Amino acid sequence: MCPESSRNIREVQCASYNNKPFMGRFYEWEPFAEVKGSQKCELNCRAIGYRFYVRQAETVIDGTPCDPNGTAICVAGQCKSIGCDDYLGSDKVIDKCGICGGDNTACKVVSGVFKHTLTNLGYHKIVEIPEGATKINITEMSKSNNYLALRSRSGRSIINGNWAIDRPGRYEGGGTMFTYRRPNEISSTAGESFLADGPTNEVLDVYMIHQQPNPGIHYEYIIPGDNVISPQLLAHRRPGEPLNGQLGMPESTSHEDEDLHRETDILTGQSAGTFPVIQPGRFPSHQPENQVPAMQPPRQNREYNWKQVGKTECTTTCGKGSQYPIFHCVNRITHDEVPEGYCDSSTKPIPEEEACNLFPCPAFWDIGEWSECSKTCGLGMQHRQILCRQIYANRTLTVQQYRCQHLEKPDTTSTCQLKICSEWQIRTEWTSCSVPCGVGQRTRDVKCVSNLGDIVDDEECNMKLRPNDIENCDMGPCAKSWFLTEWSDRCSAECGDGIRTRSVVCMTNHVSSLPLEGCGNNRPSETTPCNNGPCAGKVEWFAGGWTQCSTECGSGTQQREVICVRKTEGNFDVLNPYECSYLEKPPSQQSCYLKPCGSKWFHTEWSTCSKSCEGGFRVREVRCLSDDMAASTQCDPQLKPEEKEPCNTQDCVPEIDENCKDKYYNCNVVVQARLCVYTYYKTACCASCSRVANRQPGFLGRR
């Protein structure tokens, strides 16, 4: 074992310079953590309480970690990685099968998606997890009102069994620990999930409690392949733990040509910024040997031994928890506590787990999720499962309901109404038959109307109850004849020559189109000329080009000019807008969005001033918001608007009422007698009484 100080060996190396002067002064040193790249294996130390650092040695002691949380170590000034086989410079890594240096062929990844359409509510088996499976991941592809469930082949429910929905957490089953997550714990759009490292020691079955259409369940696990040997994972060393069990300390290191790093404001007086590198030359006055003092434990003898001084707190307040004894090193005679170094660490008793608070926790009602409403509109019902549960030995058990009789039992059913149902309405009477004789059709307007009277999509109403909106009509037999419709109302040209059209059909005693000879050769014309007048002088709206967006980022607006013009021969005359009022006017403004702004400062309006004179202040609230108006911390603090400012700094001047005067010369007597509280004297000696009132805090003109 390495000494405890080896965990922070870089700190020990920097601290060895605490008693050595630098530039004529003594400092306390700590590792400088902001070095990167080739500097990782230099001994760069920062003066505690100062803004500069110094390269105390070109290389750290062999075996020093390159990074605080990494596994690579420094050897001869170079950062060397350690493979999973614990050999320095090895590039071997653990493959997905858990084998160091493996090629992923010793195991098999089984994955797929369960997409079957389910109809019946309740439990449906999805996938079977075999014995020996590892890296198990069962995840809903999107959120839903369904639930995942897990049980063993022995019939024991592990998660969400017996129509009871368990809370998210960790559950033991099949020889491994499963983590059950719900959608509200996951930032993505995925639904529920089971995760476990494995391996399992029995076959497990995954079910889905079906309540709504299946969104798809992705499953994946790893099983050993043929001729697989058990993975032999080497124990990982702590960062900085050496290969041979000890860290070597060099006897001495020359520092005469080392580079010194510190911030410029210490020696040059320039403004402080990052941590620049400077080379002031040689400093032989602080170049003693770089020898880290060895940590020598106190002498161990039989005067001291280990003594139990208490126990840790119980991990739970009920339902069976655990606690451990606490051992301290004490004087065998006086029983006074001494540092642990006085006792032999090899004889320290190993704390063994002890059960505590064995009594069961009070029973409670475990309330399941509400089912979907039985009706999509109108009054319906919904249900939920209520179970009496009790926690013991870190497991939640279902118990008899009489144990929860001291608690009010929650309702298991409830009425629900997602919305008021829409209904069919017949808005018009039947039209006349489509033909004057023979069999035709007639129609009427049928709409789906909400409870608010709005017309909504037909799907909002019960399609089975929809009244007919079209039916046949028989107008009696027809003779062979040409049947015509009315001419169309609109001319094909807005101005100048155009045509109007109509439909022409030859009909007999039933609706059918016959050859021309059936009604004769005198087929009526289907077109007729029309003219809406000359095109010159036409009045219309004319729209110009859009202006630039009003903002460089985020939502803004842009405008364009829209004018009423009359087209003449090769020219346009601008008219008063009312000349085009009968035409639909194009929009003169529209929204625009160039790019997201990122986080920006927003503020409210200023509050009213706290005082009307002699210097008050007013305030406003300032917030940093992102593009979606959510709170953010990405705004530039230097651009933050002021939240408080002074106001009304002018002197206070009492208001003088010309109608408030003393009617008597001796009003001072009224004031001295404190008669100003009476209406008569307050009016007769108005000026004197007002002056007395103004001497009190809050007189007129101040707030």
Side-chain angles (χ1 to χ4, degrees), residues 114-126 140 142-150 160 163-165 180 192 206-217 369-372 383:
F114 179 85
K115 291 186 176 180
H116 295 289
T117 301
L118 306 175
T119 56
N120 298 330
L121 297 177
Y123 287 83
H124 294 265
K125 184 176 177 180
I126 296 176
E140 270 190 308
S142 62
K143 299 177 183 178
S144 72
N145 288 333
N146 302 325
Y147 297 94
L148 297 175
L150 186 67
N160 292 347
W163 291 97
I165 305 303
Y180 174 39
E192 295 196 333
V206 179
Y207 290 83
M208 180 174 70
I209 306 177
H210 175 247
Q211 296 190 132
Q212 71 173 66
N214 172 27
I217 310 296
E369 301 284 346
W370 285 110
S371 66
E372 289 188 350
H383 308 270

CSV table of all heavy atoms in Angstrom, one decimal, residues 114-126 140 142-150 160 163-165 180 192 206-217 369-372 383:
chain,number,residue,atom,x,y,z
A,114,PHE,N,-39.9,-4.2,-29.8
A,114,PHE,CA,-41.2,-4.8,-29.7
A,114,PHE,C,-42.3,-3.8,-30.2
A,114,PHE,O,-42.5,-2.8,-29.6
A,114,PHE,CB,-41.5,-5.3,-28.3
A,114,PHE,CG,-42.9,-5.9,-28.1
A,114,PHE,CD1,-43.0,-7.3,-28.4
A,114,PHE,CD2,-44.0,-5.2,-27.7
A,114,PHE,CE1,-44.3,-7.9,-28.2
A,114,PHE,CE2,-45.2,-5.8,-27.5
A,114,PHE,CZ,-45.3,-7.1,-27.8
A,115,LYS,N,-42.9,-4.1,-31.4
A,115,LYS,CA,-43.8,-3.1,-32.0
A,115,LYS,C,-45.2,-3.7,-32.2
A,115,LYS,O,-46.0,-3.1,-32.9
A,115,LYS,CB,-43.3,-2.6,-33.3
A,115,LYS,CG,-42.0,-1.7,-33.2
A,115,LYS,CD,-41.7,-1.2,-34.6
A,115,LYS,CE,-40.5,-0.2,-34.5
A,115,LYS,NZ,-40.1,0.4,-35.8
A,116,HIS,N,-45.5,-4.9,-31.6
A,116,HIS,CA,-46.8,-5.5,-31.9
A,116,HIS,C,-47.9,-4.6,-31.4
A,116,HIS,O,-47.8,-3.9,-30.4
A,116,HIS,CB,-46.8,-6.8,-31.2
A,116,HIS,CG,-45.8,-7.8,-31.7
A,116,HIS,ND1,-46.0,-8.4,-32.9
A,116,HIS,CD2,-44.7,-8.3,-31.2
A,116,HIS,CE1,-44.9,-9.2,-33.1
A,116,HIS,NE2,-44.1,-9.2,-32.1
A,117,THR,N,-49.0,-4.6,-32.1
A,117,THR,CA,-50.2,-3.9,-31.8
A,117,THR,C,-51.0,-4.8,-30.8
A,117,THR,O,-51.3,-5.9,-31.0
A,117,THR,CB,-51.1,-3.6,-33.0
A,117,THR,OG1,-50.3,-2.8,-33.9
A,117,THR,CG2,-52.3,-2.9,-32.6
A,118,LEU,N,-51.3,-4.2,-29.6
A,118,LEU,CA,-52.0,-4.9,-28.6
A,118,LEU,C,-53.5,-4.3,-28.5
A,118,LEU,O,-53.7,-3.1,-28.7
A,118,LEU,CB,-51.3,-4.7,-27.2
A,118,LEU,CG,-49.8,-5.2,-27.2
A,118,LEU,CD1,-49.2,-4.9,-25.9
A,118,LEU,CD2,-49.7,-6.6,-27.6
A,119,THR,N,-54.4,-5.2,-28.1
A,119,THR,CA,-55.8,-4.7,-28.0
A,119,THR,C,-56.3,-4.8,-26.6
A,119,THR,O,-57.0,-3.8,-26.2
A,119,THR,CB,-56.7,-5.6,-28.9
A,119,THR,OG1,-56.5,-7.0,-28.6
A,119,THR,CG2,-56.3,-5.4,-30.4
A,120,ASN,N,-56.1,-5.9,-25.9
A,120,ASN,CA,-56.6,-6.0,-24.5
A,120,ASN,C,-55.8,-5.3,-23.5
A,120,ASN,O,-54.6,-5.2,-23.6
A,120,ASN,CB,-56.7,-7.5,-24.2
A,120,ASN,CG,-57.6,-8.3,-25.1
A,120,ASN,OD1,-58.5,-7.8,-25.7
A,120,ASN,ND2,-57.2,-9.6,-25.3
A,121,LEU,N,-56.5,-4.7,-22.5
A,121,LEU,CA,-55.8,-4.0,-21.4
A,121,LEU,C,-55.2,-5.1,-20.5
A,121,LEU,O,-55.7,-6.2,-20.4
A,121,LEU,CB,-56.8,-3.2,-20.6
A,121,LEU,CG,-57.5,-2.0,-21.4
A,121,LEU,CD1,-58.5,-1.3,-20.4
A,121,LEU,CD2,-56.4,-1.0,-21.8
A,122,GLY,N,-54.1,-4.7,-19.9
A,122,GLY,CA,-53.5,-5.6,-18.9
A,122,GLY,C,-52.1,-6.0,-19.3
A,122,GLY,O,-51.4,-5.3,-20.1
A,123,TYR,N,-51.5,-7.1,-18.7
A,123,TYR,CA,-50.2,-7.5,-18.8
A,123,TYR,C,-49.9,-8.2,-20.1
A,123,TYR,O,-50.7,-9.1,-20.5
A,123,TYR,CB,-49.7,-8.4,-17.7
A,123,TYR,CG,-49.6,-7.6,-16.3
A,123,TYR,CD1,-50.6,-7.3,-15.5
A,123,TYR,CD2,-48.3,-7.2,-15.9
A,123,TYR,CE1,-50.5,-6.7,-14.3
A,123,TYR,CE2,-48.1,-6.5,-14.7
A,123,TYR,CZ,-49.2,-6.3,-13.9
A,123,TYR,OH,-49.0,-5.6,-12.8
A,124,HIS,N,-48.9,-7.9,-20.9
A,124,HIS,CA,-48.5,-8.6,-22.1
A,124,HIS,C,-47.0,-8.8,-22.1
A,124,HIS,O,-46.2,-7.8,-21.9
A,124,HIS,CB,-48.9,-7.7,-23.3
A,124,HIS,CG,-50.4,-7.6,-23.5
A,124,HIS,ND1,-51.1,-8.4,-24.3
A,124,HIS,CD2,-51.2,-6.7,-23.0
A,124,HIS,CE1,-52.4,-8.0,-24.3
A,124,HIS,NE2,-52.5,-7.0,-23.5
A,125,LYS,N,-46.6,-10.0,-22.3
A,125,LYS,CA,-45.2,-10.3,-22.3
A,125,LYS,C,-44.5,-9.7,-23.5
A,125,LYS,O,-45.0,-9.9,-24.6
A,125,LYS,CB,-45.0,-11.9,-22.2
A,125,LYS,CG,-43.5,-12.3,-22.1
A,125,LYS,CD,-43.4,-13.8,-22.0
A,125,LYS,CE,-41.9,-14.2,-22.0
A,125,LYS,NZ,-41.8,-15.7,-21.8
A,126,ILE,N,-43.3,-9.1,-23.3
A,126,ILE,CA,-42.6,-8.4,-24.4
A,126,ILE,C,-41.4,-9.2,-24.8
A,126,ILE,O,-41.1,-9.6,-25.9
A,126,ILE,CB,-42.2,-7.0,-23.9
A,126,ILE,CG1,-43.4,-6.2,-23.7
A,126,ILE,CG2,-41.3,-6.4,-25.0
A,126,ILE,CD1,-43.1,-4.8,-23.1
A,140,GLU,N,-38.9,2.3,-23.2
A,140,GLU,CA,-40.0,2.8,-24.1
A,140,GLU,C,-39.5,3.8,-25.1
A,140,GLU,O,-38.7,4.7,-24.7
A,140,GLU,CB,-41.1,3.4,-23.3
A,140,GLU,CG,-42.2,2.5,-22.8
A,140,GLU,CD,-43.4,3.2,-22.2
A,140,GLU,OE1,-43.2,4.1,-21.4
A,140,GLU,OE2,-44.5,2.9,-22.7
A,142,SER,N,-41.1,6.1,-26.6
A,142,SER,CA,-41.6,7.4,-26.4
A,142,SER,C,-42.6,7.3,-25.2
A,142,SER,O,-43.0,6.2,-24.8
A,142,SER,CB,-42.4,8.0,-27.6
A,142,SER,OG,-43.5,7.1,-27.9
A,143,LYS,N,-42.9,8.4,-24.6
A,143,LYS,CA,-43.7,8.4,-23.3
A,143,LYS,C,-45.1,8.0,-23.6
A,143,LYS,O,-45.7,8.3,-24.7
A,143,LYS,CB,-43.7,9.8,-22.7
A,143,LYS,CG,-42.3,10.3,-22.3
A,143,LYS,CD,-42.4,11.7,-21.8
A,143,LYS,CE,-41.0,12.3,-21.4
A,143,LYS,NZ,-41.1,13.6,-20.9
A,144,SER,N,-45.7,7.3,-22.7
A,144,SER,CA,-47.1,6.8,-22.9
A,144,SER,C,-47.7,6.6,-21.5
A,144,SER,O,-47.0,6.7,-20.5
A,144,SER,CB,-47.1,5.5,-23.7
A,144,SER,OG,-46.6,4.4,-22.9
A,145,ASN,N,-49.0,6.2,-21.5
A,145,ASN,CA,-49.6,5.8,-20.2
A,145,ASN,C,-49.5,4.3,-19.9
A,145,ASN,O,-50.2,3.8,-19.0
A,145,ASN,CB,-51.1,6.2,-20.3
A,145,ASN,CG,-51.3,7.7,-20.2
A,145,ASN,OD1,-50.5,8.4,-19.7
A,145,ASN,ND2,-52.4,8.2,-20.8
A,146,ASN,N,-48.7,3.6,-20.7
A,146,ASN,CA,-48.4,2.2,-20.4
A,146,ASN,C,-47.3,2.1,-19.3
A,146,ASN,O,-46.6,3.1,-19.0
A,146,ASN,CB,-47.9,1.5,-21.6
A,146,ASN,CG,-49.0,1.6,-22.7
A,146,ASN,OD1,-50.2,1.5,-22.4
A,146,ASN,ND2,-48.5,1.6,-24.0
A,147,TYR,N,-47.1,0.9,-18.7
A,147,TYR,CA,-46.1,0.7,-17.7
A,147,TYR,C,-45.3,-0.6,-18.0
A,147,TYR,O,-45.9,-1.5,-18.6
A,147,TYR,CB,-46.7,0.6,-16.3
A,147,TYR,CG,-47.4,1.8,-15.8
A,147,TYR,CD1,-48.8,2.0,-16.0
A,147,TYR,CD2,-46.7,2.9,-15.2
A,147,TYR,CE1,-49.4,3.1,-15.6
A,147,TYR,CE2,-47.3,4.0,-14.8
A,147,TYR,CZ,-48.7,4.1,-15.0
A,147,TYR,OH,-49.3,5.3,-14.6
A,148,LEU,N,-44.0,-0.6,-17.7
A,148,LEU,CA,-43.2,-1.8,-17.9
A,148,LEU,C,-43.3,-2.6,-16.6
A,148,LEU,O,-43.4,-2.0,-15.5
A,148,LEU,CB,-41.8,-1.4,-18.2
A,148,LEU,CG,-41.5,-0.7,-19.5
A,148,LEU,CD1,-40.0,-0.3,-19.6
A,148,LEU,CD2,-41.9,-1.6,-20.7
A,149,ALA,N,-43.2,-3.9,-16.6
A,149,ALA,CA,-43.2,-4.7,-15.5
A,149,ALA,C,-42.2,-5.8,-15.6
A,149,ALA,O,-41.8,-6.2,-16.7
A,149,ALA,CB,-44.6,-5.3,-15.2
A,150,LEU,N,-41.7,-6.3,-14.5
A,150,LEU,CA,-40.6,-7.3,-14.5
A,150,LEU,C,-40.9,-8.4,-13.4
A,150,LEU,O,-41.3,-8.1,-12.3
A,150,LEU,CB,-39.3,-6.7,-14.2
A,150,LEU,CG,-38.0,-7.6,-14.3
A,150,LEU,CD1,-37.8,-8.0,-15.7
A,150,LEU,CD2,-36.8,-6.8,-13.8
A,160,ASN,N,-43.6,-3.5,-10.5
A,160,ASN,CA,-44.9,-3.2,-11.0
A,160,ASN,C,-45.8,-4.5,-11.2
A,160,ASN,O,-46.4,-4.7,-12.2
A,160,ASN,CB,-44.9,-2.5,-12.4
A,160,ASN,CG,-44.3,-1.1,-12.3
A,160,ASN,OD1,-44.3,-0.5,-11.2
A,160,ASN,ND2,-44.0,-0.4,-13.4
A,163,TRP,N,-50.8,-5.4,-10.4
A,163,TRP,CA,-51.5,-4.2,-10.7
A,163,TRP,C,-51.2,-3.0,-9.8
A,163,TRP,O,-51.9,-2.1,-9.6
A,163,TRP,CB,-53.0,-4.4,-10.7
A,163,TRP,CG,-53.5,-5.3,-11.7
A,163,TRP,CD1,-53.8,-6.6,-11.7
A,163,TRP,CD2,-53.8,-4.9,-13.1
A,163,TRP,NE1,-54.2,-7.1,-12.9
A,163,TRP,CE2,-54.2,-6.0,-13.8
A,163,TRP,CE3,-53.7,-3.7,-13.8
A,163,TRP,CZ2,-54.6,-6.0,-15.2
A,163,TRP,CZ3,-54.1,-3.6,-15.1
A,163,TRP,CH2,-54.5,-4.8,-15.8
A,164,ALA,N,-50.0,-3.1,-9.2
A,164,ALA,CA,-49.5,-2.0,-8.3
A,164,ALA,C,-48.3,-1.3,-9.0
A,164,ALA,O,-47.4,-2.0,-9.5
A,164,ALA,CB,-49.1,-2.5,-7.0
A,165,ILE,N,-48.3,0.0,-9.1
A,165,ILE,CA,-47.3,0.7,-9.8
A,165,ILE,C,-46.2,1.2,-8.8
A,165,ILE,O,-46.6,1.9,-7.8
A,165,ILE,CB,-47.8,1.9,-10.6
A,165,ILE,CG1,-48.9,1.5,-11.5
A,165,ILE,CG2,-46.7,2.6,-11.3
A,165,ILE,CD1,-48.5,0.4,-12.5
A,180,TYR,N,-35.2,1.4,-12.0
A,180,TYR,CA,-36.5,1.7,-12.7
A,180,TYR,C,-36.6,3.2,-12.8
A,180,TYR,O,-36.6,3.9,-11.8
A,180,TYR,CB,-37.6,1.1,-11.9
A,180,TYR,CG,-39.0,1.4,-12.3
A,180,TYR,CD1,-39.3,1.5,-13.7
A,180,TYR,CD2,-40.0,1.7,-11.4
A,180,TYR,CE1,-40.6,1.8,-14.1
A,180,TYR,CE2,-41.3,2.0,-11.8
A,180,TYR,CZ,-41.6,2.1,-13.2
A,180,TYR,OH,-42.9,2.4,-13.6
A,192,GLU,N,-40.6,4.9,-20.0
A,192,GLU,CA,-40.1,4.2,-18.9
A,192,GLU,C,-38.9,3.3,-19.3
A,192,GLU,O,-38.7,3.0,-20.5
A,192,GLU,CB,-41.1,3.3,-18.2
A,192,GLU,CG,-42.3,4.0,-17.6
A,192,GLU,CD,-43.1,3.2,-16.7
A,192,GLU,OE1,-43.1,1.9,-16.9
A,192,GLU,OE2,-43.7,3.7,-15.8
A,206,VAL,N,-40.1,-9.7,-19.2
A,206,VAL,CA,-40.5,-8.3,-19.2
A,206,VAL,C,-41.9,-8.2,-19.8
A,206,VAL,O,-42.2,-8.8,-20.8
A,206,VAL,CB,-39.5,-7.5,-20.0
A,206,VAL,CG1,-39.9,-6.0,-20.1
A,206,VAL,CG2,-38.1,-7.6,-19.5
A,207,TYR,N,-42.8,-7.5,-19.1
A,207,TYR,CA,-44.1,-7.3,-19.5
A,207,TYR,C,-44.4,-5.8,-19.7
A,207,TYR,O,-43.7,-5.0,-19.3
A,207,TYR,CB,-45.1,-7.8,-18.4
A,207,TYR,CG,-45.1,-9.3,-18.3
A,207,TYR,CD1,-44.2,-10.0,-17.5
A,207,TYR,CD2,-46.1,-10.1,-18.9
A,207,TYR,CE1,-44.2,-11.4,-17.3
A,207,TYR,CE2,-46.1,-11.5,-18.7
A,207,TYR,CZ,-45.2,-12.1,-18.0
A,207,TYR,OH,-45.2,-13.5,-17.8
A,208,MET,N,-45.5,-5.6,-20.4
A,208,MET,CA,-46.0,-4.2,-20.5
A,208,MET,C,-47.5,-4.2,-20.1
A,208,MET,O,-48.3,-5.0,-20.5
A,208,MET,CB,-46.0,-3.7,-22.0
A,208,MET,CG,-46.5,-2.3,-22.1
A,208,MET,SD,-46.3,-1.6,-23.8
A,208,MET,CE,-47.4,-2.6,-24.7
A,209,ILE,N,-47.8,-3.3,-19.1
A,209,ILE,CA,-49.2,-3.1,-18.7
A,209,ILE,C,-49.8,-2.2,-19.8
A,209,ILE,O,-49.6,-1.0,-19.8
A,209,ILE,CB,-49.3,-2.5,-17.3
A,209,ILE,CG1,-48.5,-3.3,-16.3
A,209,ILE,CG2,-50.7,-2.4,-16.9
A,209,ILE,CD1,-48.4,-2.8,-14.9
A,210,HIS,N,-50.6,-2.8,-20.7
A,210,HIS,CA,-51.1,-2.0,-21.8
A,210,HIS,C,-52.4,-1.2,-21.5
A,210,HIS,O,-53.3,-1.8,-20.9
A,210,HIS,CB,-51.5,-3.1,-22.9
A,210,HIS,CG,-52.1,-2.4,-24.1
A,210,HIS,ND1,-53.4,-2.7,-24.5
A,210,HIS,CD2,-51.6,-1.6,-25.0
A,210,HIS,CE1,-53.7,-2.0,-25.6
A,210,HIS,NE2,-52.6,-1.3,-25.9
A,211,GLN,N,-52.3,0.1,-21.7
A,211,GLN,CA,-53.5,1.0,-21.5
A,211,GLN,C,-53.8,1.8,-22.7
A,211,GLN,O,-54.9,2.3,-22.9
A,211,GLN,CB,-53.2,1.9,-20.3
A,211,GLN,CG,-53.1,1.1,-19.0
A,211,GLN,CD,-53.2,2.1,-17.8
A,211,GLN,OE1,-53.9,1.8,-16.9
A,211,GLN,NE2,-52.4,3.1,-17.8
A,212,GLN,N,-52.7,2.0,-23.6
A,212,GLN,CA,-52.9,2.8,-24.8
A,212,GLN,C,-52.0,2.2,-25.9
A,212,GLN,O,-51.2,1.4,-25.6
A,212,GLN,CB,-52.6,4.3,-24.6
A,212,GLN,CG,-51.2,4.6,-24.3
A,212,GLN,CD,-50.9,6.1,-24.2
A,212,GLN,OE1,-51.4,6.7,-23.3
A,212,GLN,NE2,-50.2,6.7,-25.2
A,213,PRO,N,-52.1,2.7,-27.2
A,213,PRO,CA,-51.3,2.1,-28.2
A,213,PRO,C,-49.9,2.0,-27.9
A,213,PRO,O,-49.3,2.9,-27.3
A,213,PRO,CB,-51.6,3.0,-29.4
A,213,PRO,CG,-53.0,3.5,-29.2
A,213,PRO,CD,-53.1,3.7,-27.7
A,214,ASN,N,-49.3,0.9,-28.2
A,214,ASN,CA,-47.9,0.6,-27.9
A,214,ASN,C,-46.9,1.5,-28.7
A,214,ASN,O,-46.9,1.5,-30.0
A,214,ASN,CB,-47.6,-0.9,-28.3
A,214,ASN,CG,-46.1,-1.2,-28.1
A,214,ASN,OD1,-45.4,-0.6,-27.4
A,214,ASN,ND2,-45.7,-2.2,-28.9
A,215,PRO,N,-46.1,2.3,-28.1
A,215,PRO,CA,-45.2,3.2,-28.8
A,215,PRO,C,-43.9,2.5,-29.3
A,215,PRO,O,-43.1,3.1,-30.0
A,215,PRO,CB,-44.8,4.3,-27.8
A,215,PRO,CG,-44.9,3.6,-26.5
A,215,PRO,CD,-46.0,2.5,-26.6
A,216,GLY,N,-43.7,1.3,-28.9
A,216,GLY,CA,-42.5,0.5,-29.2
A,216,GLY,C,-41.6,0.4,-28.0
A,216,GLY,O,-41.4,1.4,-27.4
A,217,ILE,N,-41.1,-0.8,-27.8
A,217,ILE,CA,-40.2,-1.0,-26.6
A,217,ILE,C,-38.9,-1.5,-27.2
A,217,ILE,O,-38.8,-2.6,-27.9
A,217,ILE,CB,-40.8,-2.1,-25.7
A,217,ILE,CG1,-42.2,-1.7,-25.3
A,217,ILE,CG2,-39.9,-2.2,-24.4
A,217,ILE,CD1,-42.4,-0.5,-24.6
A,369,GLU,N,-51.5,4.9,-10.6
A,369,GLU,CA,-51.9,6.0,-11.5
A,369,GLU,C,-53.3,5.8,-12.0
A,369,GLU,O,-53.8,4.7,-12.1
A,369,GLU,CB,-50.9,5.9,-12.7
A,369,GLU,CG,-49.5,6.1,-12.4
A,369,GLU,CD,-49.2,7.6,-12.1
A,369,GLU,OE1,-50.0,8.4,-12.4
A,369,GLU,OE2,-48.0,7.8,-11.6
A,370,TRP,N,-54.0,6.9,-12.2
A,370,TRP,CA,-55.3,6.9,-12.8
A,370,TRP,C,-55.3,6.3,-14.2
A,370,TRP,O,-54.4,6.5,-15.0
A,370,TRP,CB,-56.0,8.2,-12.8
A,370,TRP,CG,-56.4,8.8,-11.5
A,370,TRP,CD1,-55.9,9.8,-10.8
A,370,TRP,CD2,-57.5,8.3,-10.7
A,370,TRP,NE1,-56.5,10.0,-9.7
A,370,TRP,CE2,-57.6,9.1,-9.5
A,370,TRP,CE3,-58.5,7.3,-10.8
A,370,TRP,CZ2,-58.5,9.0,-8.5
A,370,TRP,CZ3,-59.4,7.2,-9.8
A,370,TRP,CH2,-59.4,8.0,-8.7
A,371,SER,N,-56.3,5.4,-14.5
A,371,SER,CA,-56.4,4.9,-15.8
A,371,SER,C,-57.0,6.0,-16.7
A,371,SER,O,-57.4,7.1,-16.3
A,371,SER,CB,-57.4,3.7,-15.9
A,371,SER,OG,-58.7,4.1,-15.5
A,372,GLU,N,-57.0,5.8,-18.0
A,372,GLU,CA,-57.6,6.8,-19.0
A,372,GLU,C,-59.1,6.8,-18.7
A,372,GLU,O,-59.7,5.9,-18.3
A,372,GLU,CB,-57.3,6.4,-20.4
A,372,GLU,CG,-55.8,6.6,-20.8
A,372,GLU,CD,-55.7,6.4,-22.3
A,372,GLU,OE1,-56.6,5.9,-23.0
A,372,GLU,OE2,-54.6,6.7,-22.8
A,383,HIS,N,-60.2,4.6,-13.1
A,383,HIS,CA,-59.9,3.8,-11.9
A,383,HIS,C,-58.4,3.8,-11.6
A,383,HIS,O,-57.6,4.2,-12.5
A,383,HIS,CB,-60.3,2.3,-12.3
A,383,HIS,CG,-61.7,2.2,-12.8
A,383,HIS,ND1,-62.8,2.0,-11.9
A,383,HIS,CD2,-62.2,2.3,-14.0
A,383,HIS,CE1,-63.9,1.9,-12.6
A,383,HIS,NE2,-63.6,2.1,-13.9
